[in-house]
Amino acid sequence: MKKALAILVIAALCVTVLANGLLVITLKDGSIYEFYLDEIESLVYVADDELPLESEYMGLNKVCFVPGEEINLYFFGTSGLGSYAWIGIIPSDIPHGSESKNDLHDIQYSYVGGMTDGLKIFTAPWDAGFYDFRLNDSDNGGIEIDFLTFEVRE
């Protein structure tokens, strides 16, 4: 039922856009963009950075949280990592790759402690935005080996 209703709403929007020749997009931040279809040859969206839809070593039940909400992060397949490997919440705009850079910007962290799989409980940051869970191989100049992006919104 929900799927059929969603399809009907999308079809109605498409008919409205084609009839009026105007496409209006309102973003979450309140920005409004108007596109007159007779002036547009094509619309293509290209993401600056590709967000991972899956992580090799981590998983979440959902990817959007409210500020202060408890987050259950599952990790797996981490055999071979030392006891000082850690997972931290890092703002998504921080460049990837360096454990030291992640360490400078982590909001919360937890050591994996030599476990090969388990559950880590975090608290969603208080500021809205995009964040990553980043898995780092050590706590001393190591490397980031995986990440999983999530969003915090009110």
Side-chain angles (χ1 to χ4, degrees):
M1 180 67 176
K2 287 182 182 179
K3 190 174 185 179
L5 180 60
I7 291 172
L8 287 174
V9 169
I10 291 170
L13 288 172
C14 289
V15 169
T16 303
V17 167
L18 291 174
N20 295 330
L22 175 65
L23 172 63
V24 178
I25 299 174
T26 304
L27 301 179
K28 291 185 287 186
D29 67 0
S31 302
I32 298 173
Y33 295 90
E34 294 181 349
F35 299 97
Y36 293 91
L37 298 182
D38 59 342
E39 298 173 1
I40 299 173
E41 292 179 23
S42 66
L43 291 174
V44 176
Y45 173 75
V46 178
D48 292 337
D49 292 318
E50 194 173 305
L51 300 178
L53 300 176
E54 294 182 10
S55 164
E56 187 175 342
Y57 298 102
M58 298 176 284
L60 294 167
N61 288 335
K62 60 182 188 172
V63 294
C64 189
F65 302 90
V66 296
E69 182 177 354
E70 183 177 279
I71 302 175
N72 292 324
L73 176 74
Y74 301 92
F75 67 95
F76 37 84
T78 55
S79 61
L81 293 179
S83 58
Y84 288 105
W86 60 280
I87 298 171
I89 295 178
I90 318 295
S92 291
D93 61 347
I94 303 302
H96 289 271
S98 165
E99 180 275 330
S100 298
K101 175 108 32 190
N102 289 341
D103 200 16
L104 288 174
H105 297 281
D106 65 72
I107 296 169
Q108 294 173 51
Y109 70 92
S110 181
Y111 289 106
V112 174
M115 297 187 299
T116 58
D117 61 347
L119 169 69
K120 294 290 183 181
I121 299 174
F122 291 88
T123 302
W126 291 102
D127 294 327
F130 288 93
Y131 298 88
D132 300 327
F133 282 107
R134 298 189 186 182
L135 175 61
N136 300 275
D137 70 345
S138 73
D139 194 21
N140 188 16
I143 60 169
E144 174 187 324
I145 53 178
D146 196 15
F147 73 102
L148 182 61
T149 301
F150 68 98
E151 181 181 8
V152 175
R153 73 168 93 138
E154 296 184 33

